[in-house]
């Protein structure tokens, strides 16, 4: 960028920052009880120094921190310890409030910051014991080098905090000071390790589906539940790994081997309905048990979801294309993780560079980091690039437990609990002490809810089950509650030089289980690869992990050892020349001996990316860096392609208003641009189809909180009459996780039904203003009418003024005071809205929950396209900006570009970094 342009941009940002500070002061003066204490200096007090020199205790030599015009830092040091000490210092400069909240969450100590409203969440988190497991990992599992780096990072954070009061660290502390006397504590290495537990929690797999399937039994038959959890469509959406099998002679996965054609583990095949009829959880669960599972679901929802609503939306796209098919002649790698929108973004862009790579300084890596944790999570070094998507492995199970005051029943005997007490301190005074009871299948999560104490009072079980008595408790078995070495994997990955080193790093990446894609520039065309890592449990035959299991029966325990790493699927330079991972099935379950999960994403995004790549390289075409960016922004809707032809055939000629809306779909190309009226109408129709066909038939525990319908009692039989009347029943689920969410599982639910005009699912009861429906076309017509009037109320009478972006909006919220603080404080900390293109299960996955509305609930949290080998031509963008300070120029300075699908240049080499440096800070010993 020309110097005069840069200077003009800097001046403009400076004026904007001063204006925002002025607006802030006016807002604070208007805030009763606040204005007398807050001033311009209060706001500016926490802005970090980014030029000149600063003394940092513990450094062995000076460290340079070079920030570009977006505040993105590149750090240059002479030793590993100095590098990570400086990383901790810089993270704390820009993001310490975020770091502090995270560590209190992972330790179950949110009440110390935010008071009694967080006691229940803390109690549940203490029961899980994330921080305790992290401490055990640090003490017993991690390598000496990793512990050394973690300590250096913590020292850097504490060097920044030294001598500072809360208001000097972040604006939020100034607000917090009005309600309690909270004091910032020093950072510890275990605080960093514990963050991996929070990441694993949000990516834990199918626990919510396990609960939902159980809850459905109050309203639906086994066949109906099977309809709503169809088998993965391998014939339509190809898995990540198309070939390969575990070689019986070597005991290792061989990407070129022919599969035997059948799974050795019965739990690994078949549909995903959860109707296996396993002992202890037979069909037809009763109302009492479902109520308790609903309470567990509510408990889970109270845990802060740092990454997003658990379930279908938590995903990502990544793909890598061989140099054979690129304009650069070397691989191109793209990645965009789909997570909950938050402010600041979960990611922090950074470069970590040794001035000279040697035995005492081994890192030259850049990419996306987590504030609060050393190293780079996603990015590239001088030799390789890598990306992550969520594998979605089933790594958690709920167990029914027969308990007494002394212990729990197992294999015909009573076994004593392992117990511990936890004291929860509460801001403003007082504390609460809880007792955590643990079984051989994990902690009793039911102890944290009065309702859950009665879990299983009416749960149907087999005759061999122990006497029900006062009911069964519920325990949680989860791989992340066993100490592991995932922190070691981060540093190994940052240092890896080739595919073997990459796989060796993946071997330690135990939780959360992720899909890892790989690229290097070695040889004529470079190399690409894929690895499925993770600690994935081996379950006994007959236990498929889709429903709660009987904890008293040894047959349902996990095997001692997980799936061996050497038997997990991988690929290296597949013949097709590209690899796509977007949360689809890893490998055909019928041809693989281990059960990874039954709850994959259903492959709409992944297949669209596959198709776009195939279309581009057809007849010798080549893919460029910009082509990769364009693919990331693809807004095509698979369900629109499937459903729109049926909608256009519906006769609505008798209703001119609905016909106006129907005309929007004529000639539509099924893309969901922000200005598209057709996309707005179609998605409204889809939402109403889901509600009429499925949503109103689901139990209240799955429907949106507060939305009420008249239904027959769950235990009723026969026709509705005076003795068997309809009852008013209101939903109980948070809007962001209610069902039907409209994700690509629902695409596969609807696909076969479109061929069955008289399926029972097309039946819907009459309302005060609508007739009931009995056929497909009747229900589609009613959905079209309902959508027309819904959008009239939201967007106006004139269909030509409708646009998808006006419905589909993103508001970025500070994750603590921006959601729970006083109204004026929320206005200060939050930003938006933005009108967005994209949609649910599109490649540009700006997800929305059809049960809850059209607002954006998860997003591509960042996007990157790595130009492998020619690193300085790589591109990247973050959802927000580098800074967590609300009135910094870098708070949301990347968001407009992100919303438009633009990418920033990503400097890596020292010359390129110097050319883009706007501020240089020297950290001195």
């Amino acid at each position: 960028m020309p110097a005069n342009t840069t200077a003009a941009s800097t001046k403009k940002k400076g004026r904007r920052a001063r204006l925002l500070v002025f607006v802030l002061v006016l807002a604070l003066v208007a805030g009763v009880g606040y204005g007398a204490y807050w001033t311009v200096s209060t706001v500016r007090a926490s802005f970090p120094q980014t030029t000149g020199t600063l003394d940092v205790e513990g450094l062995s030599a000076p460290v340079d921190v070079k920030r570009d015009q977006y505040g993105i830092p590149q750090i240059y040091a002479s030793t590993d310890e100095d590098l990570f000490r400086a990383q901790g210092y810089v993270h704390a400069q820009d993001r310490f409030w975020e770091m502090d909240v995270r560590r209190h969450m992972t330790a179950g100590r949110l009440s110390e910051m935010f008071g009694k409203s967080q006691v229940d969440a803390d109690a549940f988190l203490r029961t899980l014991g994330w921080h305790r497991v992290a401490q055990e990992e640090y003490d017993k599992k991690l390598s000496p080098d990793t512990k050394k780096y973690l300590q250096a990072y913590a020292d850097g954070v504490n060097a920044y905090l030294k001598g500072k009061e809360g208001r000097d660290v972040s604006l939020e502390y100034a607000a917090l000071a009005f309600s309690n006397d909270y004091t910032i504590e020093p950072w510890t290495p275990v605080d960093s390790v514990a963050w991996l537990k929070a990441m694993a929690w949000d990516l834990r797999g199918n626990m919510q589906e396990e609960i939902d399937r159980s809850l459905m039994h109050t309203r639906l038959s086994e066949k109906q539940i099977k309809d709503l959890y169809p088998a993965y469509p391998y014939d339509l959406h190809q898995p990540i790994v198309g070939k390969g099998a575990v070689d019986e002679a070597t005991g290792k996965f061989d990407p070129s081997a022919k599969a035997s054609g059948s799974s050795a583990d019965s739990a690994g095949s078949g549909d995903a309905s959860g109707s296996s009829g396993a002992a202890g959880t037979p069909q037809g669960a009763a109302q009492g048990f479902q109520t308790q599972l609903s309470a567990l679901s509510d408990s889970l929802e109270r845990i802060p979801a740092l990454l997003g609503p658990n379930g279908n939306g938590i995903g990502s796209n990544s793909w890598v294309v061989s140099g054979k098919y690129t304009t650069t002649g070397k691989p191109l790698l793209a990645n965009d993780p789909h997570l909950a929108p938050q402010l600041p973004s979960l990611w922090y862009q950074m470069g970590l560079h040794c001035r000279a790579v040697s035995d005492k300084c081994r890192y030259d890596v850049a990419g996306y980091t987590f504030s609060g944790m050393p190293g780079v999570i996603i990015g590239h070094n001088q030799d390789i690039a890598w990306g992550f998507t969520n594998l979605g492995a089933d790594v958690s199970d709920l167990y029914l437990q027969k308990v007494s005051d002394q212990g729990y029943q197992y294999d015909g005997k009573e076994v004593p609990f392992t117990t511990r007490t936890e004291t929860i301190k509460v801001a403003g005074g007082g504390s609460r002490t809880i007792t955590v009871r643990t079984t051989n299948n994990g902690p009793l999560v039911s102890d944290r809810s009065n309702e859950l104490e009665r879990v299983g009072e009416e749960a149907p079980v087999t005759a061999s089950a122990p006497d029900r008595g006062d009911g069964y408790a519920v325990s949680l078995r989860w791989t992340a509650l066993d100490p592991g070495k995932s922190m070691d994997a981060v540093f190994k990955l940052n240092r890896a030089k080739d595919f073997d080193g990459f796989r060796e790093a993946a071997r330690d990446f135990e939780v959360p289980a992720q899909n890892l894609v790989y690229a290097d520039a070695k040889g004529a065309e470079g190399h690409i690869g894929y690895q499925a890592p993770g600690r994935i449990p081996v379950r006994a035959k007959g236990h498929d992990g889709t429903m709660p299991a009987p904890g008293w029966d040894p047959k349902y325990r996990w095997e001692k050892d997980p799936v061996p790493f050497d038997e997990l699927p991988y690929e290296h330079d597949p013949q097709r020349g590209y690899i796509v991972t977007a949360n689809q099935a890893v490998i055909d379950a019928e041809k693989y001996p281990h059960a990874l999960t039954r709850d994959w994403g259903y492959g709409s995004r992944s297949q669209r990316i596959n198709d776009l790549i195939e279309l581009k390289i057809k007849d010798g075409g080549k893919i460029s860096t910009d082509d990769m960016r364009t693919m990331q922004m693809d807004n095509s809707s698979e369900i629109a392609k499937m459903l729109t032809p049926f909608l256009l055939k519906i006769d609505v000629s008798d209703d001119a208003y609905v016909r106006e809306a129907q005309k929007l779909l004529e000639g539509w190309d099924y893309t969901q641009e922000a200005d598209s009226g057709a996309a707005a109408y179609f998605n409204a129709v889809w939402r109403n189809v889901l509600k009429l066909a499925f949503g109103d038939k689901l139990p209240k525990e799955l429907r949106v909180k507060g939305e009420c319908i008249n239904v027959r009692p769950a235990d009723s039989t026969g026709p509705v009459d005076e003795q068997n009347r309809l009852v008013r029943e209101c939903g109980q689920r948070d809007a962001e996780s209610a069902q039907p969410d409209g994700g690509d599982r629902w695409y596969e639910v609807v696909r076969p039904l479109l061929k069955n005009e008289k399926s029972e699912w097309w039946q819907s009861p009459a309302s005060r203003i609508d007739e009931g429906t009995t056929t497909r076309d009747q229900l589609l017509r009613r959905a079209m009418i309902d959508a027309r009037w819904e959008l009239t109320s939201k967007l106006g009478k004139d269909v030509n003024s409708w646009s998808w972006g006006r419905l589909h909006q993103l508001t970025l919220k500070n994750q603590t005071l921006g959601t729970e603080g006083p109204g004026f404080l929320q206005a200060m900390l939050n930003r938006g809205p933005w009108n967005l293109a994209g949609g649910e299960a599109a490649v540009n996955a700006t997800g929305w929950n059809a049960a809850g509305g059209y607002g954006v609930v998860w997003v591509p949290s960042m996007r990157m396209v790595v130009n492998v080998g020619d690193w300085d031509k790589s591109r990247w963008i973050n959802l927000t900006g580098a800074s967590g300070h609300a009135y910094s120029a870098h708070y949301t300075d990347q968001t407009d570009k992100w919303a438009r699908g633009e990418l920033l240049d990503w400097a890596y080499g020292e010359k390129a970094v110097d050319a883009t440096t706007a501020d240089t800070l020297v950290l001195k010993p």
Side-chain angles (χ1 to χ4, degrees), residues 218-219 711-717 724-727 729:
T218 60
R219 290 286 175 197
V711 299
R712 60 189 299 164
D715 57 354
S716 66
T717 58
N724 189 13
R725 298 178 178 178
L726 296 177
V727 297
E729 196 174 79

Side-chain angles (χ1 to χ4, degrees), residues 218-541:
T218 60
R219 290 286 175 197
L220 305 177
S221 68
E222 285 294 329
K223 179 185 179 302
Q224 290 173 320
I225 295 174
K226 183 176 180 179
D227 287 347
L228 300 188
Y229 287 90
Y232 185 88
Y234 290 102
D235 56 332
L236 297 174
H237 301 156
Q238 65 193 64
I240 298 170
V241 176
K243 295 181 179 179
V246 176
D247 187 296
E248 294 182 3
T250 64
K252 296 182 178 181
F253 185 85
D254 182 349
S256 62
K258 291 185 178 180
S260 62
S262 64
S263 171
D265 185 342
S266 62
S269 60
D271 64 76
S273 67
S275 56
S276 61
T281 54
Q283 302 172 1
Q287 177 70 33
F289 182 48
Q290 312 311 319
T291 300
Q292 312 318 322
L293 278 177
S294 177
L296 174 58
S297 180
D298 291 342
S299 295
L300 299 181
E301 286 183 7
R302 284 197 295 269
I303 306 307
L306 292 181
L307 304 187
N310 183 260
N312 192 51
I314 292 290
S316 304
N317 301 322
S318 70
W319 67 94
V320 59
V321 182
S322 166
K324 179 180 179 181
Y325 295 122
T326 66
T327 58
T328 66
K330 298 293 184 181
L332 295 173
L333 187 151
N335 197 186
D336 55 287
H338 306 154
L339 306 172
Q342 47 191 285
L343 183 60
S345 165
L346 185 77
W347 301 106
Y348 185 95
Q349 296 148 291
M350 179 178 273
L352 300 173
H353 307 280
C354 289
R355 289 194 172 94
V357 176
S358 64
D359 289 342
K360 72 173 185 176
C361 199
R362 297 182 287 174
Y363 296 88
D364 190 7
V365 60
Y368 293 86
T369 70
F370 289 140
S371 54
M373 211 173 90
V376 168
I377 305 303
I378 294 174
H380 71 83
N381 60 28
Q382 68 271 39
D383 295 303
I384 74 166
W386 65 91
F388 283 8
T389 64
N390 191 23
L391 192 151
D394 186 357
V395 295
S396 61
D397 279 335
L398 297 173
Y399 283 88
L400 302 180
Q401 303 285 353
K402 173 61 179 176
V403 303
S404 68
D405 291 341
Q406 288 73 41
Y408 59 97
Q409 190 162 326
Y410 178 71
D411 198 17
K413 302 175 183 177
E414 186 168 79
V415 181
F417 294 111
T418 300
T419 62
R420 69 177 189 273
T421 59
E422 298 272 356
T423 300
I424 300 170
K425 297 179 182 179
V426 183
S431 62
R432 175 182 169 185
T433 299
I434 63 171
T435 299
V436 178
R437 301 187 294 173
T438 301
T439 74
N440 59 3
N441 286 315
L444 290 183
V445 290
S446 53
D447 282 353
R448 302 285 74 84
S449 164
N450 291 332
E451 284 186 316
L452 284 170
E453 291 175 1
R454 303 188 302 276
V455 164
E457 280 185 5
E458 300 179 48
V461 292
T462 60
S464 61
D467 178 67
R468 180 178 289 111
D470 294 329
Y472 302 122
V474 174
S475 65
L476 170 65
R477 185 76 192 272
W478 178 37
T479 57
L481 298 185
D482 298 323
K485 299 189 292 183
S486 293
M487 199 70 236
D488 282 348
V490 173
F491 296 110
K492 285 185 178 181
L493 192 56
N494 285 197
R495 297 192 305 265
K497 296 182 178 299
D498 53 28
F499 190 63
D500 288 343
F502 165 81
R503 292 195 70 212
E504 193 58 33
R507 184 182 296 274
D508 287 340
F509 209 101
E510 297 167 320
V511 291
Q514 298 287 285
N515 296 305
L516 273 62
V517 293
Y518 166 93
D520 67 44
K522 296 176 174 60
E525 297 172 339
H527 301 284
I528 63 173
Y530 163 81
Q531 177 68 58
R535 183 190 299 148
I536 301 171
V538 177
R539 295 175 174 85
K541 290 187 178 182

Side-chain angles (χ1 to χ4, degrees), residues 124-167:
F124 196 90
L125 289 162
R126 295 287 185 96
T127 299
L128 296 180
W130 292 354
H131 201 271
R132 293 174 61 88
V133 178
Q135 184 70 59
E136 191 173 351
E137 287 183 357
Y138 184 79
D139 292 340
K140 300 178 181 179
K141 291 286 186 177
L142 299 181
S143 72
D145 277 349
T146 295
K147 294 169 74 169
K148 181 171 60 177
Y149 300 155
L150 287 164
Q151 186 61 61
Y153 181 90
D155 290 344
V157 174
N158 293 328
Y160 175 73
L161 296 174
K162 187 176 181 179
K164 290 183 172 65
E165 297 181 7
R167 65 184 181 183

Side-chain angles (χ1 to χ4, degrees), residues 33 124 158 161 183 204 207 351 367 516 546 569 624 692 762 800 807 839 846 860 916:
F124 196 90
N158 293 328
L161 296 174
T183 302
R204 64 193 177 273
M207 188 188 303
L516 273 62
T546 61
S624 68
L692 293 169
W762 299 124
N800 295 313
L807 284 176
T846 54
T916 59

Side-chain angles (χ1 to χ4, degrees), residues 511-665:
V511 291
Q514 298 287 285
N515 296 305
L516 273 62
V517 293
Y518 166 93
D520 67 44
K522 296 176 174 60
E525 297 172 339
H527 301 284
I528 63 173
Y530 163 81
Q531 177 68 58
R535 183 190 299 148
I536 301 171
V538 177
R539 295 175 174 85
K541 290 187 178 182
H543 176 26
D544 61 10
T546 61
M547 295 279 281
W552 53 80
D553 191 336
K555 293 199 300 286
Y556 289 85
R557 285 211 71 195
W558 291 356
E559 299 292 337
K560 180 180 178 181
D561 296 320
V563 176
F565 176 81
D566 288 335
E567 297 183 18
L568 292 171
Y570 76 94
E571 285 190 318
H572 190 219
D573 292 333
Q575 187 175 4
R576 64 183 178 279
Y578 59 89
I579 300 169
V580 175
T581 83
N583 318 114
Q584 78 272 39
V586 170
I587 192 168
D588 191 334
E590 295 287 349
K591 301 176 181 178
Y592 183 68
H594 300 294
L596 301 180
T597 187
R598 284 189 174 185
D599 291 305
W600 310 109
Y602 278 73
S604 289
R605 281 181 289 111
S606 61
Q607 192 57 47
R608 177 62 177 171
I609 297 167
N610 277 310
D611 292 344
L612 290 171
I613 294 172
E614 285 288 344
L615 183 65
K616 189 68 180 180
I617 65 178
K618 185 179 180 181
D619 301 324
K622 301 283 187 178
I623 294 175
S624 68
T625 303
D626 198 57
D627 290 331
M628 301 283 276
R629 182 199 66 81
T630 301
M631 292 177 191
Q632 287 179 325
M633 297 303 297
D634 183 81
N635 295 316
S636 180
S637 169
E638 182 178 1
I639 188 60
K641 294 177 185 177
M642 187 193 314
L643 188 57
T644 299
F646 291 89
L647 300 178
L648 290 174
K649 292 178 181 178
I650 302 298
D651 184 3
V652 291
S653 58
D654 60 332
D655 191 324
Y657 283 113
V658 179
R659 176 60 184 141
E660 280 183 337
Q662 185 187 44
K663 286 181 180 179
L664 293 173
L665 303 179

Side-chain angles (χ1 to χ4, degrees), residues 604 636-651 662 665-666 668-670 672 678-694 742-743 746-757 762 775-784 787 848 850:
S604 289
S636 180
S637 169
E638 182 178 1
I639 188 60
K641 294 177 185 177
M642 187 193 314
L643 188 57
T644 299
F646 291 89
L647 300 178
L648 290 174
K649 292 178 181 178
I650 302 298
D651 184 3
Q662 185 187 44
L665 303 179
E666 295 176 355
W668 179 42
D669 63 359
Y670 313 123
Q672 301 167 98
Y681 182 58
F682 173 81
N683 283 317
V685 173
W686 172 233
R687 179 173 186 250
N688 280 277
V689 166
L690 290 167
K691 177 183 177 182
L692 293 169
F694 311 105
W746 294 97
Y747 299 1
E748 300 312 314
V749 170
V750 169
R751 191 187 301 275
L753 297 181
L754 289 173
K755 301 175 183 178
N756 183 358
E757 297 182 40
W762 299 124
T775 68
R776 177 196 66 202
D777 289 354
Q778 288 175 353
L779 187 139
L780 294 182
R781 174 185 164 90
R782 181 169 163 185
M784 292 171 71
W848 55 287

